[in-house]
Amino acid sequence: MNTIKTIFKIGKGPSSSHTIGPYNATKAFIGEINRKNIKKINKIRASLYGSLALTGRGHLTDKAIIEAASGYNVEVLFFPEKILPFHPNGMVIDAISKDGKSLLSWEIYSIGGGEVLINFSKNDDSKNLVNLSELEGDEKKDFLDIYPFSTMEEILTFLRKSGKSFLEYVEDFEGSSIWDYLSLVWQTMLQSIDRGINREGVLPGNLHIYRKASLYHAKSLNFMGNMQKEGLLYSYALAVAEENACGGIIATAPTCGSSGVLPAILFHLKGEYNITEHKILRALATAGLIGKLVQTNASISGAEVGCQGEIGVACSMAAAAATYLLGGTPSQIEYAAEMGLEHHLGLTCDPLGGYVQIPCIERNAFAAARAIDACLFSILSDGSHKISFDKIVEVMKQTGKDLPSIYKETSLGGIAYVNKENEQPEV
Ligand code: SF4
Protein backbone atom coordinates (compact mmCIF):
# COMPACT_ATOMS: atom_id res chain seq x y z
CA MET A 1 0.00 0.00 0.00
CA ASN A 2 1.44 3.37 -0.97
CA THR A 3 1.19 6.80 0.65
CA ILE A 4 -2.10 8.28 1.87
CA LYS A 5 -1.07 11.45 0.00
CA THR A 6 -2.67 9.92 -3.10
CA ILE A 7 -6.05 10.07 -1.35
CA PHE A 8 -5.66 13.83 -0.78
CA LYS A 9 -4.72 15.31 -4.13
CA ILE A 10 -4.91 19.06 -4.52
CA GLY A 11 -6.23 20.27 -7.85
CA LYS A 12 -9.08 21.76 -9.82
CA GLY A 13 -12.55 20.20 -9.78
CA PRO A 14 -15.00 18.99 -10.75
CA SER A 15 -13.76 15.39 -11.05
CA SER A 16 -10.59 13.64 -9.92
CA SER A 17 -10.97 10.92 -12.53
CA HIS A 18 -12.33 13.14 -15.31
CA THR A 19 -10.43 16.39 -14.66
CA ILE A 20 -7.35 15.98 -12.43
CA GLY A 21 -6.31 12.60 -13.93
CA PRO A 22 -6.58 13.63 -17.62
CA TYR A 23 -5.01 17.03 -16.83
CA ASN A 24 -1.97 15.44 -15.13
CA ALA A 25 -1.66 12.78 -17.83
CA THR A 26 -1.73 15.42 -20.58
CA LYS A 27 0.85 17.55 -18.74
CA ALA A 28 3.14 14.51 -18.46
CA PHE A 29 2.61 13.75 -22.15
CA ILE A 30 3.61 17.30 -23.11
CA GLY A 31 6.64 16.93 -20.83
CA GLU A 32 7.62 13.79 -22.72
CA ILE A 33 7.31 15.64 -26.05
CA ASN A 34 9.71 18.27 -24.72
CA ARG A 35 12.10 15.70 -23.27
CA LYS A 36 12.23 13.80 -26.55
CA ASN A 37 12.41 17.09 -28.44
CA ILE A 38 9.67 16.03 -30.85
CA LYS A 39 9.16 18.74 -33.48
CA LYS A 40 6.67 19.52 -36.25
CA ILE A 41 3.58 18.66 -34.25
CA ASN A 42 0.41 19.80 -35.99
CA LYS A 43 -1.96 18.95 -33.17
CA ILE A 44 -2.45 17.03 -29.95
CA ARG A 45 -5.35 14.62 -30.29
CA ALA A 46 -7.04 13.22 -27.19
CA SER A 47 -9.53 10.39 -27.80
CA LEU A 48 -11.83 9.71 -24.83
CA TYR A 49 -13.53 6.34 -24.31
CA GLY A 50 -16.31 4.88 -22.16
CA SER A 51 -17.24 6.93 -19.10
CA LEU A 52 -14.67 9.63 -19.94
CA ALA A 53 -16.49 10.18 -23.25
CA LEU A 54 -20.01 9.90 -21.82
CA THR A 55 -19.60 12.43 -19.01
CA GLY A 56 -16.42 14.18 -20.12
CA ARG A 57 -18.09 17.40 -21.28
CA GLY A 58 -20.08 17.89 -18.09
CA HIS A 59 -17.01 16.98 -16.03
CA LEU A 60 -14.88 19.48 -18.05
CA THR A 61 -12.44 16.78 -19.24
CA ASP A 62 -11.99 18.47 -22.61
CA LYS A 63 -11.26 21.85 -20.98
CA ALA A 64 -8.72 20.25 -18.60
CA ILE A 65 -6.88 18.61 -21.51
CA ILE A 66 -6.87 21.82 -23.56
CA GLU A 67 -5.50 23.74 -20.58
CA ALA A 68 -2.79 21.14 -19.90
CA ALA A 69 -1.69 21.24 -23.55
CA SER A 70 -1.87 25.03 -23.89
CA GLY A 71 0.27 26.33 -26.72
CA TYR A 72 -0.75 23.39 -28.92
CA ASN A 73 -3.65 22.97 -31.28
CA VAL A 74 -5.80 20.43 -29.36
CA GLU A 75 -8.52 18.16 -30.73
CA VAL A 76 -10.68 16.17 -28.28
CA LEU A 77 -12.72 13.26 -29.69
CA PHE A 78 -15.44 11.31 -27.86
CA PHE A 79 -16.06 7.56 -28.32
CA PRO A 80 -18.71 6.64 -25.75
CA GLU A 81 -19.50 3.19 -27.17
CA LYS A 82 -15.98 1.85 -26.91
CA ILE A 83 -14.29 0.83 -23.64
CA LEU A 84 -10.53 0.29 -23.49
CA PRO A 85 -9.36 -2.99 -21.88
CA PHE A 86 -8.35 -1.97 -18.33
CA HIS A 87 -10.85 0.61 -17.04
CA PRO A 88 -14.03 2.45 -18.12
CA ASN A 89 -12.08 5.75 -17.98
CA GLY A 90 -9.76 5.23 -20.96
CA MET A 91 -8.05 7.81 -23.13
CA VAL A 92 -5.50 7.79 -25.95
CA ILE A 93 -3.40 10.87 -26.53
CA ASP A 94 -1.39 11.39 -29.71
CA ALA A 95 1.00 14.03 -31.03
CA ILE A 96 0.00 14.26 -34.71
CA SER A 97 2.26 15.53 -37.49
CA LYS A 98 1.12 17.59 -40.51
CA ASP A 99 0.85 14.44 -42.64
CA GLY A 100 -1.37 12.75 -40.01
CA LYS A 101 1.25 10.46 -38.46
CA SER A 102 1.31 9.83 -34.73
CA LEU A 103 4.72 10.92 -33.42
CA LEU A 104 4.01 9.88 -29.82
CA SER A 105 1.05 7.96 -28.44
CA TRP A 106 0.02 6.99 -24.89
CA GLU A 107 -2.91 4.83 -23.76
CA ILE A 108 -4.07 6.26 -20.44
CA TYR A 109 -6.41 5.11 -17.67
CA SER A 110 -7.75 7.53 -15.07
CA ILE A 111 -8.62 5.09 -12.31
CA GLY A 112 -10.11 7.40 -9.69
CA GLY A 113 -8.92 9.94 -7.12
CA GLY A 114 -6.60 11.48 -9.75
CA GLU A 115 -4.49 8.30 -10.12
CA VAL A 116 -3.35 7.56 -13.67
CA LEU A 117 -2.00 4.39 -15.27
CA ILE A 118 -0.26 4.38 -18.67
CA ASN A 119 -0.06 1.46 -21.07
CA PHE A 120 3.00 2.38 -23.17
CA SER A 121 3.19 -0.92 -25.04
CA LYS A 122 -0.58 -0.93 -25.73
CA ASN A 123 -0.85 -4.67 -25.34
CA ASP A 124 -3.41 -6.44 -23.18
CA ASP A 125 -1.19 -7.45 -20.28
CA SER A 126 -2.05 -5.40 -17.20
CA LYS A 127 1.51 -5.96 -15.91
CA ASN A 128 2.62 -3.33 -18.43
CA LEU A 129 0.59 -0.58 -16.79
CA VAL A 130 2.81 2.10 -15.27
CA ASN A 131 1.59 4.53 -12.62
CA LEU A 132 2.09 8.15 -13.70
CA SER A 133 3.68 8.91 -10.31
CA GLU A 134 6.41 6.45 -11.20
CA LEU A 135 7.41 8.62 -14.13
CA GLU A 136 7.80 11.78 -12.15
CA GLY A 137 11.12 11.70 -10.32
CA ASP A 138 10.14 13.83 -7.34
CA GLU A 139 7.02 11.81 -6.68
CA LYS A 140 8.52 8.41 -7.33
CA LYS A 141 8.49 7.58 -3.62
CA ASP A 142 4.74 8.23 -3.58
CA PHE A 143 4.25 5.22 -5.79
CA LEU A 144 6.21 2.79 -3.63
CA ASP A 145 4.55 0.41 -1.18
CA ILE A 146 5.46 1.88 2.18
CA TYR A 147 2.96 0.17 4.46
CA PRO A 148 3.55 -3.44 5.59
CA PHE A 149 -0.19 -4.19 5.89
CA SER A 150 -3.03 -3.71 3.44
CA THR A 151 -6.09 -4.81 5.42
CA MET A 152 -7.79 -3.32 8.45
CA GLU A 153 -7.57 -6.63 10.31
CA GLU A 154 -3.77 -6.71 9.96
CA ILE A 155 -3.49 -3.09 11.05
CA LEU A 156 -5.76 -3.58 14.08
CA THR A 157 -3.72 -6.62 15.15
CA PHE A 158 -0.56 -4.51 14.88
CA LEU A 159 -2.15 -1.69 16.91
CA ARG A 160 -3.35 -4.08 19.63
CA LYS A 161 0.09 -5.61 19.97
CA SER A 162 2.01 -2.34 19.85
CA GLY A 163 -0.47 -0.18 21.75
CA LYS A 164 -0.24 2.40 18.95
CA SER A 165 -3.01 4.40 17.28
CA PHE A 166 -3.90 4.69 13.57
CA LEU A 167 -2.09 8.01 13.29
CA GLU A 168 1.08 6.61 14.86
CA TYR A 169 0.91 3.78 12.35
CA VAL A 170 0.70 6.37 9.57
CA GLU A 171 3.62 8.41 10.95
CA ASP A 172 5.76 5.30 11.43
CA PHE A 173 5.65 4.45 7.74
CA GLU A 174 5.12 7.83 6.04
CA GLY A 175 7.71 9.67 8.11
CA SER A 176 7.17 13.02 9.81
CA SER A 177 6.99 14.87 6.46
CA ILE A 178 3.40 13.64 6.14
CA TRP A 179 2.31 16.38 8.56
CA ASP A 180 3.52 19.16 6.24
CA TYR A 181 1.56 17.63 3.39
CA LEU A 182 -1.58 17.19 5.50
CA SER A 183 -1.24 20.78 6.65
CA LEU A 184 -1.34 21.87 2.99
CA VAL A 185 -4.41 19.68 2.47
CA TRP A 186 -6.13 21.23 5.50
CA GLN A 187 -5.35 24.78 4.30
CA THR A 188 -6.82 23.89 0.89
CA MET A 189 -9.94 22.50 2.57
CA LEU A 190 -10.35 25.64 4.70
CA GLN A 191 -9.93 27.90 1.67
CA SER A 192 -12.53 25.97 -0.32
CA ILE A 193 -15.03 26.23 2.56
CA ASP A 194 -14.37 29.96 2.89
CA ARG A 195 -14.72 30.63 -0.85
CA GLY A 196 -17.83 28.47 -1.12
CA ILE A 197 -19.58 30.12 1.84
CA ASN A 198 -18.91 33.57 0.46
CA ARG A 199 -19.87 33.04 -3.17
CA GLU A 200 -23.31 33.34 -4.66
CA GLY A 201 -24.65 32.90 -8.18
CA VAL A 202 -25.40 30.18 -10.68
CA LEU A 203 -23.15 27.17 -11.19
CA PRO A 204 -21.68 26.68 -14.69
CA GLY A 205 -23.50 24.49 -17.21
CA ASN A 206 -27.05 24.23 -18.43
CA LEU A 207 -28.67 22.93 -15.25
CA HIS A 208 -28.77 26.55 -13.99
CA ILE A 209 -28.47 25.63 -10.31
CA TYR A 210 -28.10 28.47 -7.83
CA ARG A 211 -25.41 28.02 -5.18
CA LYS A 212 -26.92 27.10 -1.80
CA ALA A 213 -23.99 27.20 0.65
CA SER A 214 -24.05 30.92 1.41
CA LEU A 215 -27.82 30.95 1.92
CA TYR A 216 -27.83 27.82 4.07
CA HIS A 217 -25.05 29.24 6.21
CA ALA A 218 -26.86 32.53 6.78
CA LYS A 219 -30.20 30.86 7.52
CA SER A 220 -28.68 28.29 9.86
CA LEU A 221 -27.29 31.05 12.05
CA ASN A 222 -30.89 32.04 12.84
CA PHE A 223 -31.64 28.60 14.29
CA MET A 224 -30.64 27.25 17.67
CA GLY A 225 -29.18 23.99 18.99
CA ASN A 226 -29.07 20.92 16.76
CA MET A 227 -30.95 22.58 13.88
CA GLN A 228 -28.23 25.22 13.70
CA LYS A 229 -25.40 22.69 13.98
CA GLU A 230 -26.77 20.45 11.26
CA GLY A 231 -27.60 23.40 9.01
CA LEU A 232 -24.06 24.74 9.32
CA LEU A 233 -22.62 21.29 8.66
CA TYR A 234 -24.66 21.11 5.44
CA SER A 235 -23.44 24.56 4.42
CA TYR A 236 -19.75 23.59 4.79
CA ALA A 237 -20.20 20.45 2.68
CA LEU A 238 -22.19 22.41 0.07
CA ALA A 239 -19.52 25.12 -0.01
CA VAL A 240 -16.75 22.71 -1.03
CA ALA A 241 -18.96 20.70 -3.40
CA GLU A 242 -20.09 23.91 -5.15
CA GLU A 243 -16.52 25.14 -5.45
CA ASN A 244 -15.66 21.78 -6.97
CA ALA A 245 -18.56 22.02 -9.44
CA CYS A 246 -17.17 25.40 -10.57
CA GLY A 247 -13.72 23.97 -11.26
CA GLY A 248 -12.26 25.57 -8.13
CA ILE A 249 -9.22 24.25 -6.27
CA ILE A 250 -10.12 21.56 -3.75
CA ALA A 251 -8.48 18.62 -2.01
CA THR A 252 -9.83 15.23 -2.99
CA ALA A 253 -11.15 13.17 -0.09
CA PRO A 254 -11.08 10.66 -1.69
CA THR A 255 -12.33 12.20 -4.99
CA CYS A 256 -13.41 15.61 -6.26
CA GLY A 257 -17.11 14.74 -6.41
CA SER A 258 -17.04 13.69 -2.74
CA SER A 259 -14.59 16.37 -1.58
CA GLY A 260 -17.05 18.23 0.68
CA VAL A 261 -17.77 15.51 3.27
CA LEU A 262 -14.51 15.30 5.23
CA PRO A 263 -13.70 19.06 5.37
CA ALA A 264 -17.27 19.74 6.53
CA ILE A 265 -16.92 17.28 9.41
CA LEU A 266 -13.48 18.54 10.45
CA PHE A 267 -14.46 22.21 10.28
CA HIS A 268 -17.70 21.56 12.15
CA LEU A 269 -16.02 19.61 14.98
CA LYS A 270 -13.16 22.09 15.17
CA GLY A 271 -15.68 24.88 15.86
CA GLU A 272 -17.84 22.82 18.23
CA TYR A 273 -15.07 21.44 20.41
CA ASN A 274 -12.24 23.96 19.99
CA ILE A 275 -10.06 21.32 18.38
CA THR A 276 -6.48 22.31 17.55
CA GLU A 277 -4.96 22.11 14.07
CA HIS A 278 -2.55 19.51 15.42
CA LYS A 279 -5.47 17.17 16.16
CA ILE A 280 -7.16 17.97 12.85
CA LEU A 281 -4.05 16.80 10.95
CA ARG A 282 -4.09 13.58 12.97
CA ALA A 283 -7.75 13.09 12.07
CA LEU A 284 -6.81 13.61 8.41
CA ALA A 285 -4.15 10.88 8.73
CA THR A 286 -6.74 8.49 10.18
CA ALA A 287 -9.21 9.32 7.40
CA GLY A 288 -6.51 8.96 4.72
CA LEU A 289 -5.67 5.47 5.92
CA ILE A 290 -9.33 4.44 5.60
CA GLY A 291 -9.52 5.82 2.05
CA LYS A 292 -6.27 4.13 1.11
CA LEU A 293 -7.50 0.74 2.36
CA VAL A 294 -10.60 1.01 0.17
CA GLN A 295 -8.60 2.16 -2.85
CA THR A 296 -6.16 -0.74 -2.38
CA ASN A 297 -8.75 -3.48 -1.86
CA ALA A 298 -11.67 -2.19 -3.96
CA SER A 299 -12.00 1.13 -5.76
CA ILE A 300 -12.75 4.82 -5.23
CA SER A 301 -13.81 5.32 -8.85
CA GLY A 302 -17.47 6.11 -9.59
CA ALA A 303 -16.91 4.72 -13.10
CA GLU A 304 -15.84 1.40 -11.63
CA VAL A 305 -18.08 0.88 -8.57
CA GLY A 306 -20.63 3.73 -8.57
CA CYS A 307 -21.04 6.50 -6.00
CA GLN A 308 -20.64 4.09 -3.05
CA GLY A 309 -16.90 4.26 -3.92
CA GLU A 310 -16.90 8.07 -3.78
CA ILE A 311 -19.52 9.42 -1.36
CA GLY A 312 -19.62 6.10 0.54
CA VAL A 313 -15.87 6.17 1.09
CA ALA A 314 -15.88 9.90 1.93
CA CYS A 315 -18.50 9.20 4.62
CA SER A 316 -16.43 6.29 5.92
CA MET A 317 -13.30 8.46 6.13
CA ALA A 318 -15.20 11.32 7.81
CA ALA A 319 -16.85 8.97 10.32
CA ALA A 320 -13.44 7.57 11.26
CA ALA A 321 -11.94 11.07 11.59
CA ALA A 322 -14.83 12.26 13.77
CA THR A 323 -14.59 9.18 16.00
CA TYR A 324 -10.88 9.79 16.47
CA LEU A 325 -11.51 13.45 17.37
CA LEU A 326 -14.17 12.49 19.91
CA GLY A 327 -11.87 10.02 21.65
CA GLY A 328 -12.83 6.71 20.02
CA THR A 329 -10.69 3.58 20.34
CA PRO A 330 -9.23 1.90 17.22
CA SER A 331 -12.15 -0.60 17.30
CA GLN A 332 -14.70 2.21 17.49
CA ILE A 333 -12.95 4.05 14.64
CA GLU A 334 -13.04 0.86 12.56
CA TYR A 335 -16.75 0.42 13.37
CA ALA A 336 -17.57 4.01 12.38
CA ALA A 337 -15.67 3.60 9.09
CA GLU A 338 -17.49 0.34 8.40
CA MET A 339 -20.90 1.95 8.98
CA GLY A 340 -20.09 4.97 6.84
CA LEU A 341 -19.52 2.65 3.91
CA GLU A 342 -22.13 -0.03 4.71
CA HIS A 343 -24.98 2.43 4.65
CA HIS A 344 -24.01 3.67 1.19
CA LEU A 345 -23.76 0.23 -0.42
CA GLY A 346 -25.25 0.15 -3.90
CA LEU A 347 -25.29 3.94 -4.29
CA THR A 348 -25.40 4.71 -8.00
CA CYS A 349 -23.37 7.27 -9.90
CA ASP A 350 -25.80 8.97 -12.24
CA PRO A 351 -24.94 12.66 -12.56
CA LEU A 352 -27.59 14.67 -14.37
CA GLY A 353 -26.32 15.97 -17.70
CA GLY A 354 -22.85 14.67 -16.83
CA TYR A 355 -22.27 17.56 -14.42
CA VAL A 356 -20.90 16.96 -10.93
CA GLN A 357 -23.90 18.82 -9.49
CA ILE A 358 -27.06 16.70 -9.20
CA PRO A 359 -27.07 14.49 -7.13
CA CYS A 360 -23.43 15.05 -6.17
CA ILE A 361 -23.59 18.38 -4.29
CA GLU A 362 -26.47 17.46 -1.98
CA ARG A 363 -24.97 14.02 -1.48
CA ASN A 364 -21.95 15.62 0.19
CA ALA A 365 -24.19 17.34 2.74
CA PHE A 366 -26.19 14.20 3.51
CA ALA A 367 -23.06 12.05 3.79
CA ALA A 368 -21.57 14.56 6.25
CA ALA A 369 -24.67 14.22 8.44
CA ARG A 370 -24.47 10.43 8.15
CA ALA A 371 -20.81 10.48 9.15
CA ILE A 372 -21.76 12.20 12.42
CA ASP A 373 -24.43 9.53 12.96
CA ALA A 374 -21.93 6.72 12.34
CA CYS A 375 -19.51 8.37 14.77
CA LEU A 376 -22.13 8.71 17.51
CA PHE A 377 -23.35 5.14 16.91
CA SER A 378 -19.86 3.70 17.31
CA ILE A 379 -18.90 5.87 20.29
CA LEU A 380 -22.03 4.63 22.09
CA SER A 381 -20.90 1.04 21.44
CA ASP A 382 -17.83 -0.78 22.73
CA GLY A 383 -16.61 -1.14 19.13
CA SER A 384 -17.58 -4.78 18.70
CA HIS A 385 -19.75 -5.65 15.71
CA LYS A 386 -20.40 -8.52 13.31
CA ILE A 387 -19.43 -7.25 9.85
CA SER A 388 -15.87 -6.01 9.66
CA PHE A 389 -14.63 -3.04 7.66
CA ASP A 390 -12.61 -5.39 5.43
CA LYS A 391 -15.75 -7.42 4.67
CA ILE A 392 -17.74 -4.32 3.77
CA VAL A 393 -14.98 -3.19 1.41
CA GLU A 394 -15.14 -6.60 -0.27
CA VAL A 395 -18.95 -6.38 -0.49
CA MET A 396 -18.72 -2.87 -1.93
CA LYS A 397 -16.34 -4.09 -4.63
CA GLN A 398 -18.64 -6.96 -5.59
CA THR A 399 -21.71 -4.72 -5.51
CA GLY A 400 -19.87 -2.34 -7.84
CA LYS A 401 -19.12 -5.17 -10.24
CA ASP A 402 -22.78 -6.22 -10.17
CA LEU A 403 -24.07 -2.69 -10.85
CA PRO A 404 -25.03 -2.19 -14.50
CA SER A 405 -22.81 0.28 -16.34
CA ILE A 406 -25.68 2.81 -16.63
CA TYR A 407 -25.11 3.47 -12.91
CA LYS A 408 -21.36 3.95 -13.14
CA GLU A 409 -20.61 7.53 -14.24
CA THR A 410 -22.11 7.15 -17.69
CA SER A 411 -25.15 9.42 -17.15
CA LEU A 412 -27.29 6.84 -18.96
CA GLY A 413 -29.55 5.78 -16.08
CA GLY A 414 -31.04 6.69 -12.72
CA ILE A 415 -31.31 10.39 -11.91
CA ALA A 416 -29.48 11.28 -15.11
CA TYR A 417 -32.31 9.72 -17.07
CA VAL A 418 -35.29 11.46 -15.45
CA ASN A 419 -34.67 14.80 -17.09
CA LYS A 420 -33.96 14.07 -20.72
CA GLU A 421 -33.68 17.69 -21.87
CA ASN A 422 -30.66 18.09 -19.64
CA GLU A 423 -28.83 15.06 -20.98
CA GLN A 424 -26.57 17.01 -23.28
CA PRO A 425 -24.33 19.41 -21.42
CA GLU A 426 -23.28 22.71 -22.88
CA VAL A 427 -20.05 22.57 -24.87
S1 SF4 B 1 -22.88 10.72 -8.43
FE1 SF4 B 1 -21.24 10.36 -6.90
S2 SF4 B 1 -19.67 9.18 -8.00
FE2 SF4 B 1 -21.01 10.10 -9.52
S3 SF4 B 1 -19.99 12.03 -10.13
FE3 SF4 B 1 -21.48 12.49 -8.47
S4 SF4 B 1 -20.28 12.36 -6.58
FE4 SF4 B 1 -19.05 11.34 -8.17
Side-chain angles (χ1 to χ4, degrees):
M1 207 164 85
N2 65 350
T3 174
I4 63 165
K5 286 185 208 162
T6 59
I7 292 295
F8 300 121
K9 286 200 156 72
I10 296 168
K12 283 187 183 176
S15 167
S16 45
S17 57
H18 287 55
T19 319
I20 295 179
Y23 178 89
N24 289 343
T26 306
K27 272 265 174 214
F29 184 80
I30 299 298
E32 186 71 354
I33 287 174
N34 295 336
R35 250 188 312 280
K36 289 191 163 155
N37 203 15
I38 299 172
K39 302 275 183 216
K40 297 188 180 156
I41 295 170
N42 181 36
K43 65 181 167 193
I44 300 295
R45 186 170 63 208
S47 307
L48 309 182
Y49 297 90
S51 169
L52 271 190
L54 280 159
T55 54
R57 285 197 181 93
H59 283 44
L60 310 181
T61 310
D62 45 353
K63 292 200 168 100
I65 291 168
I66 290 165
E67 189 183 328
S70 69
Y72 287 92
N73 173 23
V74 183
E75 173 185 44
V76 183
L77 304 173
F78 296 82
F79 300 99
E81 317 76 28
K82 187 173 170 186
I83 293 181
L84 297 184
F86 298 114
H87 196 277
N89 288 333
M91 159 179 166
V92 174
I93 186 160
D94 289 281
I96 306 285
S97 68
K98 276 209 173 82
D99 53 3
K101 278 195 191 129
S102 177
L103 304 171
L104 182 70
S105 181
W106 283 6
E107 185 177 293
I108 290 159
Y109 295 93
S110 183
I111 61 168
E115 290 260 307
V116 169
L117 302 177
I118 304 174
N119 183 16
F120 290 110
S121 55
K122 292 198 185 170
N123 68 27
D124 288 351
D125 186 347
S126 62
K127 284 192 198 123
N128 293 320
L129 295 173
V130 176
N131 194 302
L132 180 62
S133 312
E134 212 179 357
L135 296 179
E136 294 165 359
D138 287 352
E139 291 175 16
K140 189 167 174 132
K141 58 184 180 313
D142 292 348
F143 178 72
L144 303 174
D145 284 342
I146 55 171
Y147 287 98
F149 308 121
S150 56
T151 65
M152 177 65 89
E153 188 48 45
E154 290 170 319
I155 296 171
L156 283 175
T157 305
F158 171 81
L159 299 187
R160 280 179 201 126
K161 276 189 190 153
S162 63
K164 292 189 174 185
S165 61
F166 284 111
L167 63 101
E168 287 171 297
Y169 175 73
V170 170
E171 188 176 32
D172 276 359
F173 297 103
E174 298 267 359
S176 56
S177 66
I178 190 65
W179 304 119
D180 288 343
Y181 186 76
L182 293 179
S183 175
L184 196 62
V185 168
W186 176 233
Q187 291 313 313
T188 307
M189 288 177 166
L190 286 176
Q191 285 157 10
S192 58
I193 291 175
D194 186 57
R195 287 197 314 271
I197 290 290
N198 286 299
R199 280 194 183 149
E200 292 170 83
V202 178
L203 297 173
N206 68 356
L207 300 181
H208 310 302
I209 300 169
Y210 200 83
R211 283 177 179 251
K212 289 191 177 78
S214 175
L215 211 57
Y216 276 40
H217 187 258
K219 280 188 182 176
S220 298
L221 292 173
N222 291 323
F223 291 125
M224 306 272 284
N226 281 344
M227 288 275 278
Q228 183 185 75
K229 286 179 190 167
E230 192 144 349
L232 289 173
L233 178 66
Y234 288 161
S235 73
Y236 306 144
L238 292 172
V240 180
E242 287 172 355
E243 275 301 289
N244 177 65
C246 290
I249 293 178
I250 53 87
T252 62
T255 62
C256 286
S258 58
S259 58
V261 184
L262 182 58
I265 289 292
L266 297 177
F267 191 64
H268 168 69
L269 293 178
K270 187 178 185 314
E272 284 296 307
Y273 299 101
N274 258 331
I275 291 170
T276 61
E277 177 166 332
H278 181 70
K279 289 275 276 184
I280 292 288
L281 301 189
R282 290 167 158 225
L284 270 174
T286 306
L289 190 61
I290 299 297
K292 197 71 225 174
L293 284 169
V294 183
Q295 189 186 39
T296 304
N297 297 301
S299 171
I300 55 166
S301 161
E304 214 177 349
V305 293
C307 198
Q308 53 174 356
E310 296 203 14
I311 285 287
V313 178
C315 181
S316 178
M317 291 166 61
T323 308
Y324 159 72
L325 288 175
L326 298 189
T329 63
S331 298
Q332 288 171 325
I333 292 171
E334 184 262 356
Y335 187 19
E338 184 274 323
M339 273 185 288
L341 188 54
E342 178 182 333
H343 300 299
H344 284 96
L345 284 179
L347 192 65
T348 55
C349 169
D350 44 7
L352 187 60
Y355 297 102
V356 191
Q357 296 180 10
I358 298 175
C360 320
I361 294 173
E362 282 181 8
R363 250 177 212 179
N364 278 268
F366 280 89
R370 192 172 271 188
I372 290 286
D373 292 339
C375 163
L376 177 61
F377 208 93
S378 75
I379 292 266
L380 290 174
S381 80
D382 64 0
S384 58
H385 58 113
K386 282 264 182 235
I387 312 282
S388 70
F389 175 81
D390 289 331
K391 255 297 164 240
I392 278 303
V393 172
E394 206 181 307
V395 171
M396 191 274 272
K397 185 180 183 183
Q398 187 56 45
T399 307
K401 273 191 188 156
D402 294 340
L403 273 179
S405 64
I406 57 168
Y407 299 122
K408 293 191 274 194
E409 215 163 355
T410 54
S411 288
L412 294 173
I415 294 170
Y417 197 70
V418 295
N419 198 352
K420 297 271 286 174
E421 73 266 23
N422 284 320
E423 261 184 55
Q424 292 303 319
E426 263 170 17
V427 285

